[in-house]
Amino acid sequence: MTGDLYNKKKLELETLRRQAGALQLEYIRLGRTEGKREQKRWWITKGNFRKYVNLIHRVQMLDEVLLPYEIENGIRKINLQEHMKWHYLTF
């Protein structure tokens, strides 16, 4: 993986994280201001839960792609115990 491709993927990762965060914040806001019924309608009926899950899944996949490059170039240090726990929980 080249530096340019890494930067492009990293930017995409941050964008996806922001989008997922915005959905999550809207869900919380609706629960506080509109009530649980409106919150559930927005989350389930309008398909925002599916969007959120898809965004989180894409973030995980991109993170898996970027991980070897970041470890190899010293950008990210890996805690093996945390990695094994994460791997066990997600796969």
Side-chain angles (χ1 to χ4, degrees):
M1 179 179 292
T2 63
D4 288 339
L5 182 61
Y6 169 76
N7 290 332
K8 192 178 198 181
K9 293 283 187 187
K10 190 70 172 176
L11 184 63
E12 183 182 354
L13 178 69
E14 292 304 318
T15 304
L16 292 173
R17 281 185 176 152
R18 274 191 228 106
Q19 289 173 354
L23 281 174
Q24 190 173 20
L25 287 174
E26 181 64 17
Y27 174 75
I28 293 168
R29 187 195 68 77
L30 281 173
R32 289 183 179 160
T33 60
E34 305 293 327
K36 294 292 180 186
R37 180 174 286 154
E38 180 62 27
Q39 183 185 37
K40 184 178 178 184
R41 187 184 71 75
W42 180 83
W43 195 238
I44 304 295
T45 309
K46 294 210 172 189
N48 288 307
F49 179 67
R50 185 172 30 87
K51 289 179 196 170
Y52 178 75
V53 169
N54 287 340
L55 284 170
I56 294 299
H57 181 69
R58 285 174 55 198
V59 164
Q60 287 176 341
M61 298 312 279
L62 266 175
D63 195 45
E64 289 287 324
V65 168
L66 294 176
L67 184 67
Y69 180 84
E70 290 179 346
I71 291 173
E72 182 179 309
N73 292 314
I75 298 169
R76 185 191 309 189
K77 302 288 185 220
I78 187 162
N79 180 343
L80 191 57
Q81 185 178 5
E82 281 295 315
H83 179 69
M84 294 305 284
K85 182 172 78 174
W86 172 257
H87 206 56
Y88 173 75
L89 291 174
T90 54
F91 297 104

